[in-house]
Structure formats: C-alpha cells, structure tokens
Amino acid sequence: EAGVTQFPSHSVIEKGQTVTLRCDPISGHDNLYWYRRVMGKEIKFLLHFVKESKQDESGMPNNRFLAERTGGTYSTLKVQPAELEDSGVYFCASSQVGVYRVGTGELFFGEGSRLTVL
Amino acid sequence: GQQVMQIPQYQHVQEGEDFTTYCNSSTTLSNIQWYKQRPGGHPVFLIQLVKSGEVKKQKRLTFQFGEAKKNSSLHITATQTTDVGTYFCAGRGYQKVTFGTGTKLQVIP
C-alpha cells in the first residue's frame, strides 16, 4: 500500500514568487491535514480537509495561503506571494474517518516539502 | 484555542540512562497520541491513549495518560542511540489533532 506522498521534496524560491505543494494521501483516507514545522520547532496545524470540504482552516496564517482538495483526493497548498517567514517544512498527513486502524486513529505523514524562501 | 505544551524542550542523556517527556494540554482531550520524528524524517505514530489513567508499554517505552485527560508522559528506560529524535505528543479533539511543542532527545554513546 502506497503511503502519503508529497511533492516537491524541496523548493527554493525568491520572496514574492509563488509555490504550490502537492499531497497525495493514502487511498481511501477522507481526512487530510496540512502542518508546518519551522526551524525545528513545533508542528503547527494549518488546516484539515474531510473529503473535499475544509473542516478547519483556523491554522492558516493569512490569505497568502490557499489550500484545495478538488474531488476529495489529492490536495494542493499554494503560497502566493511567498515571504521569508514562510520557510519551513510542510507536512501532509492523512487518516481514515471514524474508523480506527488497528485500534488507533493515527495520522500517516508524508516525507514533507521543505520550502526555502530567499 | 487548544494548546499543548511539552517539557523539556531538549534533553541530552548518556546511553543507558532513562528519559521522560511530559505533555500538558490547556483543554481536556478525547485521546492523546505520541509520535517520533527522527532527524531529517517525518513524524511516525507510536501509540494512542484513550482512557483516563491509561498506561501502555512498548518494550522500553511507557506511555501514561493523566486522570483528568489533560496530561501525558512518555518514559524511555535505558536509552539507546536509536532513540534519538524529537518526540511529540498530539492531543486529539473532535477531528483536530494539535501537536505539542516536542522534546528533542540526544543520546550520547
């Protein structure tokens, strides 16, 4: 079974440019989360999709960030225009809805997309 | 909003020593999860605790959920170099999972 995949693994852009990160969750997982880890600090929640609907986007820092999940499959996170403080590792995670996998509600994380804004 | 704090932020131990990280939530949790992130890697699920006062063990790791379901701890007995990484607790409310600030463990051989 394929895990959560993220693309690109690393992106280096200049301030003011646009970047789009993509996440493919595990097939059948309705819940999809975006998190960000900056400078090795906490893993900060950005938003949560249930299928194609935004369940909670309270963690999105500002309107320069736009997340979509058309059709309830893969998701994209666009940053436009990028600022220096947007640098960090963006993690995507997925989980099944309401069904515990082997008795857990674990999140399955992708490898992350490292964003560097110069 | 919900906040989850962990202490200590960093811990250096000599190989063979024990290690404990503590997690505290500002709100009551439905359950708590623990994840480990190796340097350069991604968070990997370790365990989930659901019941008040629950204690679970995985080999040298012991996880505990507080009676009030607002705090938790992870204890590692006789650390090994393979235990190096950052340990996160994650408090699960309705559908939302809020991660703690993490404890970075360094094991000195």
Side-chain angles (χ1 to χ4, degrees):
Chain A
E1 178 185 278
V4 177
T5 56
Q6 292 187 244
F7 182 84
S9 57
H10 193 184
S11 181
V12 181
I13 61 173
E14 294 190 349
K15 176 182 171 181
Q17 290 186 320
T18 298
V19 64
T20 300
L21 311 177
R22 171 170 170 145
C23 169
D24 286 77
I26 292 173
S27 178
H29 281 194
D30 288 338
N31 280 306
L32 187 149
Y33 302 81
W34 282 98
Y35 288 90
R36 177 172 69 175
R37 193 172 187 206
V38 177
M39 295 292 288
K41 294 185 178 175
E42 64 188 294
I43 299 174
K44 201 162 184 186
F45 170 81
L46 294 177
L47 89 159
H48 168 212
F49 285 99
V50 177
K51 296 186 180 179
E52 68 275 8
S53 300
K54 291 177 184 175
Q55 182 77 16
D56 184 345
E57 53 183 329
S58 60
M60 295 288 264
N62 51 60
N63 58 11
R64 295 185 294 102
F65 288 73
L66 175 64
E68 293 180 324
R69 193 183 181 193
T70 308
T73 53
Y74 71 91
S75 174
T76 58
L77 179 64
K78 180 192 283 189
V79 184
Q80 178 184 31
E83 298 289 343
L84 298 178
E85 64 265 24
D86 300 332
S87 296
V89 182
Y90 290 78
F91 287 105
C92 174
S94 72
S95 72
Q96 289 182 300
V97 170
V99 175
Y100 284 179
R101 192 181 180 106
V102 197
T104 73
E106 68 180 282
L107 298 184
F108 294 84
F109 279 82
E111 297 287 338
S113 292
R114 179 176 294 277
L115 173 63
T116 302
V117 183
L118 303 175
Chain B
Q2 181 183 71
Q3 291 187 337
V4 182
M5 303 296 293
Q6 277 181 257
I7 55 170
Q9 190 175 1
Y10 301 97
Q11 184 84 55
H12 292 88
V13 299
Q14 204 73 37
E15 187 173 17
E17 290 182 337
D18 292 356
F19 159 77
T20 304
T21 173
Y22 300 91
C23 175
N24 290 286
S25 170
S26 59
T27 59
T28 302
L29 302 168
S30 59
N31 59 55
I32 196 153
Q33 299 175 340
W34 284 91
Y35 291 79
K36 177 184 177 181
Q37 184 173 6
R38 293 181 183 274
H42 60 279
V44 175
F45 176 84
L46 294 176
I47 207 162
Q48 175 171 281
L49 304 172
V50 178
K51 299 176 184 176
S52 169
E54 188 171 12
V55 178
K56 285 189 176 180
K57 292 191 176 185
Q58 285 180 351
K59 296 182 181 178
R60 294 178 296 104
L61 279 60
T62 301
F63 304 84
Q64 189 165 8
F65 201 9
E67 293 291 340
K69 300 184 77 173
K70 293 180 73 174
N71 57 71
S72 180
S73 65
L74 158 60
H75 179 82
I76 302 178
T77 303
T79 54
Q80 299 174 358
T81 54
T82 52
D83 295 326
V84 164
T86 301
Y87 292 84
F88 293 95
C89 63
R92 196 173 183 107
Y94 177 69
Q95 297 282 19
K96 182 175 178 177
V97 181
T98 301
F99 278 77
T101 47
T103 296
K104 186 173 182 178
L105 173 64
Q106 191 66 260
V107 179
I108 304 163

